[in-house]
């Protein structure tokens, strides 16, 4: 099982990750597309070039519900930049053709991709691919090494080898953070290059007063936004859920990316969240609920509790993570209604 360790790799070859900050009267967000220009941080422009506005849309991208709120931002944008990890030439052409109604929507297994494709279809918007391609072997190899360490960590944890599992989990996090930072640098360089290409080759866009660019990424990649914002670029962002909840493994990766330390307890909780997610997703397909719930449950355990759970799993391969928590007096829901009650969600059943 690698649900959590592979979560950030949901940016698969055909992945077009997105989901917009949901419409909510009680949530304050930066108004998208309303600031001053310049990916390079400069406010002055070449003659006849538009003011360029960037809006980052962060969130999960596993189900339609994860991303369906992106619609308004997509309609407002002039140019769309999807997440497309390790893209191929065929995938790039598909997205460009889809925008011009020159091809049909692929029948993806992922409902988020189908929904996003339906927005792109016949939109006539330029699609910029700024992500790394399948040719960027250094970053891909780092991610592959991370995934391998993640799989090994989960296996070691289930076999009761807790200390070894923590070591492998840390290797996963270190390689993932390195790969993410390298990848974000490539996205930044490619974005500037591709926008210049559109302006040079398209007079209609070059002569617009303002050019609105929507960029969608998984929520783990906020380092890129903060890096660009520090350079006085006209930029805003929104998230698909509020508050934004990061699973422990993603928090660990983000900590390293921002130059902070992550302790063993945070890594240990990621194992609990992984196995809980697998166990509880039969109750709900809502990614937001699962993330909030598993983080809430794992936070009630300390590293000694988690070590004991690992050791019990090693002694009994049929050990159930939900029962391990219940035996420690932790309430684990048995229905979606109980999930909503625990999370304070008001919903009629």
């Amino acid at each position: 099982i690698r649900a959590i360790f592979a979560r950030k790799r949901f940016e698969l070859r055909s992945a077009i990750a997105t989901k917009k900050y949901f419409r909510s009267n009680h949530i304050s967000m930066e108004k998208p597309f309303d600031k001053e220009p310049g990916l390079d941080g400069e406010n002055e422009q070449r003659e006849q070039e538009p003011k360029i506005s960037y809006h980052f849309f962060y969130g999960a991208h596993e189900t339609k519900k994860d991303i369906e709120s992106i619609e308004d931002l997509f309609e407002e944008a002039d140019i769309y930049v999807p997440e497309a990890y390790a893209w191929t030439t065929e995938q790039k052409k598909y997205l460009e053709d889809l925008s011009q109604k020159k091809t049909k929507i692929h029948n993806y297994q992922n409902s988020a991709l189908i929904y996003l494709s339906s927005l792109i279809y016949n939109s006539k918007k330029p699609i910029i691919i700024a992500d790394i391609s399948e040719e960027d072997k250094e970053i891909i190899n780092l991610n592959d090494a991370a995934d391998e360490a993640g799989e090994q960590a989960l296996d070691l944890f289930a076999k009761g080898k807790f200390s070894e599992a923590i070591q492998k989990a840390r290797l996963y996090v270190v390689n993932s953070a390195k790969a993410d930072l390298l990848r974000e640098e490539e996205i930044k360089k490619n974005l500037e290059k591709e926008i210049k290409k559109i302006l040079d080759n398209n007079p209609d866009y070059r002569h617009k007063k303002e050019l609105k660019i929507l960029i969608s990424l998984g929520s783990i990649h906020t380092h890129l936004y903060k890096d660009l914002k520090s350079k006085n670029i006209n930029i805003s962002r929104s998230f698909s859920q509020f508050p934004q909840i990061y699973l422990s493994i993603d928090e660990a990766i983000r900590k390293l990316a921002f130059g902070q330390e992550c302790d063993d307890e945070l890594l240990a909780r990621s194992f609990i969240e992984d196995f809980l997610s697998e166990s509880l997703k039969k109750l709900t397909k809502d990614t937001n609920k699962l993330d909030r719930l598993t983080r809430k449950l794992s936070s009630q355990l300390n590293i000694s509790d988690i070590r004991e759970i690992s050791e019990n799993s090693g002694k009994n391969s049929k050990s159930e993570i939900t029962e391990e928590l219940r035996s420690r007096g932790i309430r684990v829901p048995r229905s979606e209604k109980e999930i909503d009650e625990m999370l304070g969600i008001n919903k009629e059943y």
Side-chain angles (χ1 to χ4, degrees), residues 39-186:
L39 184 57
D40 57 2
E42 297 178 359
N43 289 328
E44 294 185 2
Q45 301 162 273
R46 290 180 296 176
E47 186 178 358
Q48 295 184 322
E49 284 193 357
K51 293 182 177 180
I52 301 177
S53 301
Y54 301 88
H55 186 78
F56 279 81
F57 172 69
Y58 288 112
H61 37 88
E62 299 173 44
T63 68
K64 177 183 176 182
K65 186 173 182 179
D66 288 337
I67 67 163
E68 61 187 356
S69 55
I70 195 176
E71 184 173 354
D72 288 348
L73 282 175
F74 184 86
E75 291 301 321
E76 189 178 352
D78 296 301
I79 296 172
Y80 178 53
V81 186
E83 185 168 18
Y85 175 78
W87 57 269
T88 65
T89 302
E90 292 77 11
Q91 289 163 354
K92 183 175 185 291
K93 186 176 187 305
Y94 164 72
L95 292 173
E96 292 169 346
D97 287 350
L98 196 65
S99 177
Q100 302 301 320
K101 199 180 176 180
K102 294 181 180 179
T103 189
K104 295 181 180 179
I105 297 173
H106 288 175
N107 187 27
Y108 294 110
Q109 295 297 313
N110 184 314
S111 62
L113 296 183
I114 294 175
Y115 179 75
L116 187 58
S117 294
S118 72
L119 293 181
I120 295 173
Y121 182 74
N122 200 30
S123 66
K124 309 301 183 185
K125 298 180 189 292
I127 306 297
I128 287 179
I129 305 298
D131 215 328
I132 65 165
S133 76
E134 63 176 349
E135 301 299 323
D136 291 295
K137 298 301 183 184
E138 178 186 3
I139 299 173
I140 292 172
N141 289 341
L142 264 177
N143 278 326
D144 288 346
D147 287 346
E148 183 178 357
E151 290 178 348
Q152 293 170 348
L154 287 167
D155 184 58
L156 288 166
F157 183 88
K159 290 178 178 178
K161 300 178 180 180
F162 179 75
S163 296
E164 294 175 54
I166 290 293
Q167 290 176 5
K168 287 294 182 180
R170 187 168 293 281
L171 180 59
Y172 169 83
V173 168
V174 168
N175 281 337
S176 294
K178 286 180 181 178
D180 282 350
L181 290 174
L182 288 172
R183 181 182 169 199
E184 289 169 11
E185 280 299 312
E186 287 302 309

Side-chain angles (χ1 to χ4, degrees), residues 4 8 16 96 112 118 179 186 193 215 218 227 239 242-243 245 271 302 329 337:
I4 299 302
K8 67 183 290 295
I16 312 164
E96 292 169 346
S118 72
E186 287 302 309
K193 179 177 64 177
I215 305 163
D227 179 43
F239 292 85
F242 182 84
I245 301 297
F271 293 113
N302 59 39
K337 182 179 180 181

Side-chain angles (χ1 to χ4, degrees), residues 267-286:
L267 297 175
R269 285 176 177 161
S270 72
F271 293 113
I272 301 301
E273 292 162 16
D274 181 273
F275 292 115
L276 275 175
S277 180
E278 285 298 309
S279 178
L280 296 175
K281 68 182 181 183
K282 61 180 179 288
L283 302 182
T284 180
K285 302 301 181 185
D286 190 314

Side-chain angles (χ1 to χ4, degrees), residues 298-347:
S298 74
S299 68
Q300 299 177 60
L301 299 168
N302 59 39
I303 194 167
S304 296
D305 294 324
I306 300 170
R307 179 188 293 275
E308 186 178 344
I309 290 173
S310 174
E311 291 171 350
N312 289 345
S313 176
K315 296 172 185 176
N316 179 11
S317 61
K318 295 183 180 180
S319 174
E320 287 286 340
I321 185 65
T322 52
E323 294 309 313
E324 286 281 359
L325 267 63
R326 290 186 179 114
S327 71
R328 288 166 171 76
I330 298 174
R331 180 191 175 192
V332 180
R334 300 179 187 273
S335 67
E336 186 162 17
K337 182 179 180 181
E338 289 188 14
I339 292 176
D340 290 347
E341 289 173 354
M342 289 184 66
L343 298 178
I345 298 172
N346 296 320
K347 184 176 178 181

Side-chain angles (χ1 to χ4, degrees), residues 222-233:
T222 60
H223 185 276
L224 176 59
Y225 165 82
K226 291 185 177 181
D227 179 43
L228 293 175
K229 190 173 179 65
S230 70
K231 294 176 170 58
N232 195 32
I233 293 170

